């Protein structure tokens, strides 16, 4: 069963602003990255998935359920972490998450147990008995994630979970999301405007822009056969290029670098052999993984 | 984390396959949370000061009234009169409690966390409203119970005296319920319009304060019908009018009360419509808020 499936999904707000246009996408369970610039329609899509906004046109299914007709069943199985500040400052994290667990239908004692478990999983221990108002941004983001987990959903919708975090905090949050997706057995949809972030943890990537689908695919399909070796020599770049071309290796120039597509480990030997034969000073030889961004860049050159 | 000498067994993430409760228990959880919020439970000590100050005042007043009655046998306040006398205090209580219940959530942005859960959109505002109405009713009704106990234990007519006392108490409790419903509905509706608690509190007091002079003006116009209907203009006098009609002697001994003529049923209808109107507007407001 598909995790999320939309068909010709269109959302036009009153006043004529179109947030989503004819979006058709099917994603399988796993960690899904939803990327797009601010205003691309990511938050609108999440609200439609939650059944909070009705689509203007088209079909949508979440976990096999239709959020337009069964919003409560969908929301019972989904956890949502909003983008913006969402925590009342005077409650403790333990109290807030317990209360929200009860609103999700957990019995009182279960809600309390699962709240401390969820807070422990996101890395909050004794702090959970302090009012949220005194927390750092990183801790607040963790509380927001814990409240989305408390009722053991089958799908997490995370809207910009790394917003406002410093680099270390981002890495910790991404690692946490990756753990939830792989060890907890919960599918995750991560929204972000930073492709570089989500591509590190996702199985599937969905890119939207201006409410339209740019591309949706498994990340290994996007990056397969695109690993390249970057070779830099301080002189004789032309000679080396000609030599490698003679060896029938696909070579491209990229400034001072030569990019050689990596077929197998022999490629290394061939390049090293060529450099030794020409007696050139080798600066570096390293493997580059093609960033997914480059794939998009070639597909939509007009977009900045 | 502090250094620990014990061994931590990370049992990993546990899935939950137990029962998930339906709409009723979820509503009850929200309602009880609201009731706790009003009285400052589960919140800072500062949040408890005002509610418990008010609770203290109404209990002390009730205790004094009961004591005076038992000592010198004079009824200072009847049960229903107690509700009337305390009305201003209850307005201030509502002006503080309603924004705590509703405006705070609007401001902190916590509402998306509620509405992304399997919660019917109308249940959130209704649970909050019911929590405030209950709190106000407890504030007006609890002290009446103190007065009743005082009277019941000092009565000289035996069980019959207690029974008569009870017959006096019940209309008083119902009348307190009317006060609570009107004040609660207006309070929650106004508080739901803004995320700023100070504005909400000011707005609630203003509704009661600003409408009183209108009653004064209408009451002295040279037309008897307008005079008799004047008290509809303010929620406070409207409730008084219902009391005059429904309770009569229990509220105003010796045929006093507001000069509402024969419009008593109209006052009752107006009070019901006022509460119903506030609830409808409140639900409409949250239909809009929920999609944000």
């Amino acid at each position: 069963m598909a995790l999320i499936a939309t068909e010709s999904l269109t959302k036009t707000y009153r006043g004529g602003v179109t947030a989503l246009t004819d979006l058709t996408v099917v994603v399988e369970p796993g960690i899904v990255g939803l990327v797009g610039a601010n205003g691309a329609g990511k938050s609108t899509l999440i609200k439609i998935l939650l059944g909070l906004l009705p689509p203007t046109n088209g079909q949508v299914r979440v976990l096999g359920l239709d959020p337009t007709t069964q919003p409560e069943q969908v929301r019972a199985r989904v956890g949502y972490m909003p983008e913006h500040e969402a925590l009342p400052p005077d409650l403790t994290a333990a109290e807030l998450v317990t209360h929200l667990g009860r609103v999700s239908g957990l019995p009182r004692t279960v809600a309390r147990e699962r709240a401390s478990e969820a807070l422990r999983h996101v890395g909050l221990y004794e702090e959970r008995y302090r009012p949220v108002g005194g927390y750092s941004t990183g801790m607040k983001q963790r509380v927001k994630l814990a409240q989305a987990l408390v009722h053991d959903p089958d799908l997490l919708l995370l809207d910009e979970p790394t917003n406002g975090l410093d680099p270390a905090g981002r890495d910790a949050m991404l690692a946490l999301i990756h753990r939830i997706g792989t060890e907890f057995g919960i599918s995750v949809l991560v929204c972000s405007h930073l492709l570089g972030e989500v591509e590190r943890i996702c199985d599937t990537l969905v890119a939207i822009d201006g409410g339209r689908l740019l591309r949706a695919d498994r990340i290994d399909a996007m990056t397969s056969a695109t690993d390249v070796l970057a070779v830099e020599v301080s002189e004789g770049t032309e000679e080396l290029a000609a030599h490698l071309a003679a060896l029938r290796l696909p070579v491209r120039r990229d400034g001072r670098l030569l990019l050689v597509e990596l077929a197998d480990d022999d490629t290394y030997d061939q390049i090293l052999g060529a450099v030794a034969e020409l007696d050139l000073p080798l600066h570096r030889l390293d493997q580059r993984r093609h960033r997914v961004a480059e794939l998009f860049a070639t597909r939509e050159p007009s977009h900045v | 984390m502090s250094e620990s000498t014990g061994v931590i067994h990370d049992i990993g993430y546990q899935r939950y396959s137990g029962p998930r409760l339906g709409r009723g228990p979820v509503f009850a959880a929200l309602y009880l949370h609201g009731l706790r919020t009003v009285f400052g439970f589960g919140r800072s000590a500062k949040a408890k000061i005002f509610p418990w100050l008010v609770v203290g005042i109404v209990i002390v007043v009730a205790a004094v009234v009961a004591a005076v009655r038992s000592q010198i046998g004079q009824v200072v306040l009847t049960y229903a009169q107690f509700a009337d006398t305390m009305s201003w205090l209850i307005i201030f209580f509502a002006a503080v409690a309603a924004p705590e219940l509703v405006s705070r959530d609007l401001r902190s942005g916590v509402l998306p966390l509620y509405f992304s859960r399997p919660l019917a959109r109308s249940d959130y505002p209704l649970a909050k409203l019911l929590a405030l109405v209950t709190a106000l009713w407890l504030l007006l009704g609890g002290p009446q119970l103190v007065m009743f106990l005082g009277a019941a234990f000092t009565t000289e007519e035996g069980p019959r005296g207690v029974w008569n006392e009870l017959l006096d108490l019940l209309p008083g409790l119902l009348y307190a319920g009317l006060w609570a419903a009107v004040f609660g509905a207006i309070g929650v509706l106004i508080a739901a319009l803004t995320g700023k608690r100070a504005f909400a509190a000011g707005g609630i007091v203003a509704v009661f304060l600003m409408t009183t002079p209108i009653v004064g003006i209408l009451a002295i116009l040279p037309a008897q019908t307008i005079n008799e209907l004047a008290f509809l203009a303010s929620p406070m006098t409207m409730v008084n009018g219902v009391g005059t009609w429904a309770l009569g002697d229990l509220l105003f001994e010796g045929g006093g009360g507001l000069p509402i003529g024969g419009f008593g049923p109209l006052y009752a209808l107006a009070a019901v419509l006022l509460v119903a109107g506030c609830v409808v507007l409140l639900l409409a407001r949250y239909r809009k808020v929920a999609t944000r």
Side-chain angles (χ1 to χ4, degrees):
Chain A
M1 185 186 66
L3 185 67
I4 296 165
T6 71
E7 203 188 313
S8 313
L9 195 65
T10 301
K11 176 69 193 178
T12 308
Y13 286 106
R14 259 181 302 176
V17 180
T18 300
L20 292 174
T21 311
D22 202 22
L23 187 77
T24 301
V25 64
V26 177
V27 288
E28 297 302 317
I31 306 180
V32 183
L34 177 64
V35 289
N38 292 330
K42 303 187 296 282
S43 296
T44 301
L45 179 58
I46 285 198
K47 279 177 193 152
I48 292 176
L49 296 179
L50 281 168
L52 294 176
L53 272 182
T56 315
N57 245 320
Q59 302 289 318
V60 57
R61 296 247 152 202
V62 179
L63 300 163
L65 300 165
D66 185 345
T68 56
T69 55
Q70 306 162 284
E72 272 140 45
Q73 286 94 318
V74 171
R75 294 200 284 261
R77 295 181 58 193
V78 171
Y80 170 54
M81 172 177 173
E83 175 182 359
H84 301 289
E85 186 98 338
L87 305 172
D90 65 331
L91 285 184
T92 67
E95 183 137 0
L96 176 70
V97 177
T98 305
H99 173 58
L100 290 170
R102 295 192 68 191
V103 176
S104 278
L106 299 181
R108 185 203 299 260
T109 46
V110 176
R112 200 172 300 135
E113 278 168 28
R114 286 203 60 90
S116 11
E117 279 300 288
L119 287 164
R120 184 173 69 80
H121 282 299
V122 300
L124 289 173
Y125 301 88
E126 295 310 312
E127 307 91 308
R128 67 174 187 267
Y129 300 114
R130 294 209 315 255
V132 174
Y135 282 17
S136 67
T137 310
M139 286 159 76
K140 283 182 184 166
Q141 291 293 88
R142 284 161 190 266
V143 178
K144 276 158 68 178
L145 184 57
Q147 65 78 29
L149 267 180
V150 64
H151 54 292
D152 187 31
D154 295 316
L155 168 65
L156 276 183
L157 301 175
L158 311 179
D159 200 347
E160 303 275 0
T162 56
N163 233 5
L165 298 181
D166 58 24
R170 280 168 187 261
D171 287 345
M173 177 58 77
L174 291 172
L176 190 55
I177 294 168
H178 189 248
R179 232 186 96 211
I180 291 170
T182 50
E183 289 173 28
F184 293 13
I186 297 173
S187 287
V188 187
L189 179 81
V190 194
C191 268
S192 180
H193 60 281
L194 297 170
L195 178 60
E197 265 186 4
V198 289
E199 70 170 315
R200 280 158 46 191
I201 57 165
C202 292
D203 311 320
T204 310
L205 208 50
V206 176
I208 57 175
D209 181 56
R212 288 173 190 281
L213 182 70
L214 283 181
R215 190 168 177 197
D217 212 337
R218 294 192 62 81
I219 220 156
D220 44 18
M222 288 189 183
T223 54
S224 64
T226 58
D227 283 356
V228 291
L229 286 173
V231 191
E232 188 179 353
V233 286
S234 19
E235 56 186 71
T237 311
E238 293 296 334
E239 283 171 64
L240 183 61
H243 196 96
L244 291 175
L247 289 169
R248 272 184 270 171
L249 286 172
V251 181
R252 276 186 290 134
R253 285 290 302 257
D254 181 17
R256 295 165 54 90
L257 294 175
L258 288 177
L259 298 178
V260 185
E261 267 183 39
L262 180 64
D264 51 42
D265 284 346
D266 280 348
T267 317
Y268 279 103
D269 298 337
Q270 286 179 305
I271 293 172
L272 286 175
V275 171
E277 208 170 295
L278 295 168
D279 198 19
L280 297 173
L282 181 64
H283 251 228
R284 67 169 169 164
L285 171 64
D286 54 17
Q287 187 180 345
R288 270 189 171 187
R289 193 168 171 222
H290 245 194
R291 299 242 118 176
V292 178
E294 296 171 39
L295 300 177
F296 289 118
T298 54
R299 261 155 227 278
E300 30 139 12
S302 63
H303 184 70
V304 183
Chain B
M1 264 203 316
S2 57
E3 286 296 310
S4 160
T5 50
V7 181
I8 296 172
H9 296 283
D10 188 352
I11 50 172
Y13 183 77
Q14 304 282 301
R15 301 293 315 228
Y16 175 72
S17 53
R20 289 175 194 261
L21 307 175
R23 188 171 174 180
V26 168
F27 187 89
L30 257 179
Y31 165 73
L32 288 174
H33 184 79
L35 203 53
R36 282 165 54 86
T37 304
V38 171
F39 289 106
F41 288 115
R43 299 181 43 218
S44 64
K46 222 170 71 182
K48 294 185 181 71
I49 297 174
F50 182 76
W52 288 98
L53 184 71
V54 173
V55 169
I57 291 173
V58 291
I59 294 284
V60 166
V61 169
V64 168
V65 167
V68 167
R69 186 173 165 192
S70 69
Q71 290 304 311
I72 60 174
Q74 191 188 343
V75 180
V76 185
L77 288 174
T78 66
Y79 297 110
Q81 280 171 344
F82 178 83
D84 270 2
T85 312
M86 289 297 138
S87 57
W88 272 105
L89 195 60
I90 301 307
I91 288 176
F92 284 114
F93 187 85
V96 171
E100 287 292 338
L101 277 172
V102 181
S103 309
R104 173 180 286 279
D105 282 1
L106 279 169
R107 187 169 181 78
S108 64
V110 75
L111 288 175
L113 303 188
Y114 283 105
F115 292 123
S116 62
R117 294 187 139 73
L119 171 76
R121 269 177 210 183
S122 57
D123 283 3
Y124 173 87
L126 289 181
K128 295 281 183 181
L129 173 62
L130 206 59
L132 182 60
V133 169
T134 308
L136 295 178
W137 184 73
L138 287 175
L139 275 180
L140 290 173
Q144 292 185 32
L145 201 64
V146 172
M147 290 161 62
F148 168 75
L149 290 177
F153 280 114
T154 55
T155 181
E156 283 152 16
E157 297 166 58
R160 227 176 65 88
V162 176
W163 178 247
N164 283 337
E165 238 6 271
L166 191 66
L167 288 183
D168 284 352
L169 172 68
L170 291 180
L173 290 180
L174 283 178
Y175 189 51
L178 178 65
W179 274 113
V182 170
F183 283 42
I186 294 176
V188 171
L189 175 64
I190 294 174
L193 298 178
T194 171
K196 294 201 170 66
R197 276 182 291 160
F199 284 5
I204 292 167
V205 173
V207 164
F208 293 101
L209 213 61
M210 308 288 260
T211 49
T212 311
I214 301 177
V215 174
I217 293 167
L218 292 177
I220 54 169
L221 287 180
Q224 203 196 344
T225 312
I226 293 181
N227 295 159
E228 287 174 355
L229 289 175
F231 305 102
L232 286 173
S234 168
M236 288 181 76
T237 49
M238 184 196 287
V239 173
N240 281 146
V242 177
T244 305
W245 168 65
L247 300 178
D249 279 355
L250 289 174
L251 195 54
F252 302 101
E253 280 147 292
L258 298 176
I260 56 168
F263 289 112
L266 188 68
Y267 274 78
L269 183 68
V272 170
L273 286 179
L274 176 67
V275 172
C278 285
V279 171
V280 168
L281 288 174
L282 185 67
L283 293 181
R285 166 75 178 149
Y286 273 91
R287 258 197 299 282
K288 202 177 139 211
V289 170
T291 56
R292 276 207 303 231

